[in-house]
Amino acid sequence: MVSNPVLTGVSGPSRSARVQALRDALASRVVVADGATGTMLQSLEPTMEDFTGLEGCNEVLSVNRPDLVDSVHVAYLDAGVDCIKTNTFGGNYSALAEYDIADRVFELSEASARIARDAADRSSEESGQQRWVLGSMGPGTKLPTLGHLPYTTLRDAYQASAEGLIGGGTDALLVETSQDLLQARSAVLGARRAMDKLGAD
């Protein structure tokens, strides 16, 4: 295992200033986000040891191999994107439950957000351009509309994920790739509950 890169925390503008700048940018121009994180991570050929036996669970790399996750963010930032997404597309209850680690939703979300925040802050300082972090909240592998999982279980887990993402320094939350309206609703309401709890806007 490789230790965490130095995490400088939230530097530069305050979160509220960054969020307002992101809103202004979205209202006035095209804002470019990065591409797929998972395929980039897989191209780096992490080992079974990197995954701690949880092969294919990219989210554990944020704890076990933060250097790999950071290198993906840096590659996209160097390519000129405005926003990078956290390594949490599969960091939700249903996906992590398949690895028997659903209890790590908050931990993995926060760790992933801190890595992305640090990379974005370094890029902002070096380039003089504000870079933002989007907290990725993916759909998971179960559809609540079909009764695969209880709606409240998903909602509460999305809240835990959002709390970790916000605590780790994201500028916005991104509910992405949803195909089930009830799943999307659970993610949005979980995110709103987290924002209310943490006083985040």
Side-chain angles (χ1 to χ4, degrees):
M1 271 194 261
V2 176
S3 61
N4 280 327
V6 176
L7 299 179
T8 58
V10 180
S11 62
S14 69
R15 173 178 290 180
S16 60
R18 286 196 320 266
V19 170
Q20 187 56 54
L22 176 56
R23 287 181 174 136
D24 292 344
L26 289 167
S28 62
R29 66 178 177 86
V30 173
V31 176
V32 179
D34 62 7
T37 301
T39 52
M40 288 277 284
L41 283 170
Q42 292 298 321
S43 74
L44 299 174
E45 301 182 354
T47 66
M48 191 62 99
E49 182 182 357
D50 295 334
F51 284 118
T52 56
L54 304 172
E55 186 176 11
C57 184
N58 291 328
E59 291 69 27
V60 298
L61 296 175
S62 292
V63 173
N64 301 338
R65 288 296 306 271
D67 58 311
L68 294 182
V69 177
D70 181 71
S71 72
V72 169
H73 294 321
V74 168
Y76 279 120
L77 290 162
D78 287 350
V81 300
D82 297 299
C83 305
I84 52 174
K85 297 186 296 290
T86 56
N87 177 37
T88 50
F89 181 80
N92 51 67
Y93 181 89
S94 63
L96 294 180
E98 294 182 0
Y99 294 99
D100 293 322
I101 57 169
D103 59 327
R104 296 182 67 185
V105 167
F106 176 88
E107 172 202 357
L108 297 175
S109 295
E110 184 179 45
S112 296
R114 289 190 187 285
I115 295 166
R117 174 82 273 141
D118 186 61
D121 288 348
R122 292 193 322 263
S123 179
S124 294
E125 188 174 333
E126 292 165 8
S127 69
Q129 286 186 276
Q130 182 62 60
R131 307 294 190 200
W132 294 284
V133 175
L134 308 178
S136 173
M137 300 173 73
T141 56
K142 307 295 182 195
L143 304 180
T145 299
L146 297 182
H148 293 161
L149 279 173
Y151 166 79
T152 54
T153 299
L154 288 178
R155 181 201 63 206
D156 294 348
Y158 276 117
Q159 178 177 343
S161 175
E163 288 176 16
L165 293 169
I166 294 167
T170 59
D171 300 307
L173 300 173
L174 177 67
V175 177
E176 59 175 322
T177 324
S178 299
Q179 66 254 349
D180 183 320
L181 290 177
L182 200 53
Q183 176 272 320
R185 176 185 167 91
S186 68
V188 169
L189 289 182
R192 290 210 172 273
R193 286 179 172 214
M195 290 187 288
D196 291 343
K197 179 178 177 180
L198 299 176
D201 183 14

